[in-house]
Structure formats: C-alpha cells, structure tokens
Amino acid sequence: MSRKVIGFHYTVKTEQGELIDTSDGKTPLLFLEGSGQIIPGLEKELATMSVGDKKDVKVDSDNAYGPINEELKYLVKKDQFPDGSDVKVGDQFQLENDPAAPIFTVTLIENDDVFIDGNHPLAGINLEFNVEITEKRDATEEELAHGHAHGAGGHQH
Ligand SMILES: [Zn+2]
C-alpha cells in the first residue's frame, strides 16, 4: 500500500475541555503518513478515515507528547543566569546550543530560586481531538523523497 498524504481540520482540547489549538478558520493541516509529523495516537486513527469523515479521538499522553519526566525539572539560582537578565515566569530558553535540545520554561521564581522545566508543555496531558478529513491521496514521488507533504497546509517551496 502506498503512503498517503492526508489533510484534516482539527480542534484539540485537554480532557478537562481546555482549548489547546484549532485549525478553525485556517488551512487544514496536511501531512505525509509515517513522517512523524503527527503524534502516533492520532495518525493511527486518521489513517483509517475517509474524506468527509468526522471523529472524536482521545489520545492519552503516552501516545501524544509522553509522560512528564521529573528529571527535566531543575532548581537553579538567579545568579546562574547571565548578568542583567531579567528572569520571569514563562521565559523559555535552551541550555544547549542544539536545535533538538529541550526547551526549558521558567515555572516559578521564589527569591533567588528559579524553577525550570524542560518537558514539552503538553507532556503528561491526555488530549481530545475533534477531526475532519479534508483530503486523502497517494503521496507523489517528490513528497516521498522530501519526507513531507507539499501544497496548502503542507510545505511550500
Ligand atoms: Zn518538499
């Protein structure tokens, strides 16, 4: 079976009903099957659906952004930040000069103590998607060679 390019509209919420993201009012998201662009628990469902199908899909955190890793939570001191930096809750930074390194977020500041967390913001969260398939077709040779979908909602180049 050839790999497909799948387009879909989505709304994603936490299981408590808090809105995380939606494609509402935007171009549907387009992706190449098996390229790792879509979390595994969702891609598995999308692969079984046809154009026009709508579905609610629950994806637990293990099949989404993974569990929370306590080892990525650190306590550092304010004076470990560069001189003159005005550290605030919500600030994000990388400890290593590598695009793949975890992104740390400042979660709490108490006096000189700064708590930072390198988990993905959605780690440990069970997600609820509402999806609608808008497009499904065989991937082109070029898309397979590039490893991603082309066109509106995919890569433009
Ligand atoms: Zn390309």
Side-chain angles (χ1 to χ4, degrees):
M1 211 173 72
S2 57
R3 285 164 75 189
K4 303 285 185 196
V5 164
I6 301 173
F8 68 106
H9 270 301
Y10 65 94
T11 296
V12 55
K13 297 176 178 176
T14 66
E15 62 186 339
Q16 288 78 27
E18 186 187 340
L19 180 69
I20 296 168
D21 193 16
T22 178
S23 65
D24 199 17
K26 295 184 246 171
T27 310
L29 188 66
L30 200 65
F31 75 99
L32 171 66
E33 260 188 318
S35 62
Q37 195 193 334
I38 305 295
I39 55 171
L42 180 61
E43 177 162 341
K44 190 162 61 80
E45 292 293 333
L46 296 174
T48 68
M49 296 168 64
S50 309
V51 172
D53 285 355
K54 295 180 185 182
K55 200 170 184 178
D56 293 325
V57 182
K58 293 186 183 193
V59 183
D60 62 33
S61 60
D62 284 353
N63 290 304
Y65 293 95
I68 291 174
N69 181 355
E70 293 297 332
E71 290 178 10
L72 286 174
K73 294 182 178 181
Y74 297 98
L75 168 59
V76 296
K77 297 290 178 186
K78 256 189 192 160
D79 62 14
Q80 289 177 263
F81 287 84
D83 276 348
S85 51
D86 175 24
V87 188
K88 294 183 301 297
V89 170
D91 282 356
Q92 293 190 316
F93 57 90
Q94 283 177 304
L95 295 177
E96 294 156 60
N97 197 8
D98 171 357
I103 296 168
F104 283 85
T105 304
V106 175
T107 55
L108 183 68
I109 300 175
E110 284 179 344
N111 301 317
D112 283 336
D113 294 339
V114 181
F115 295 84
I116 63 173
D117 186 345
N119 284 288
H120 189 282
L122 296 177
I125 295 180
N126 298 326
L127 302 175
E128 296 193 356
F129 288 87
N130 175 261
V131 295
E132 178 179 359
I133 302 286
T134 58
E135 183 173 348
K136 199 164 199 177
R137 59 173 170 77
D138 290 338
T140 64
E141 294 288 327
E142 192 183 45
E143 287 172 325
L144 292 173
H146 287 196
H148 53 233
H150 289 164
H155 277 252
Q156 312 275 4
H157 62 128

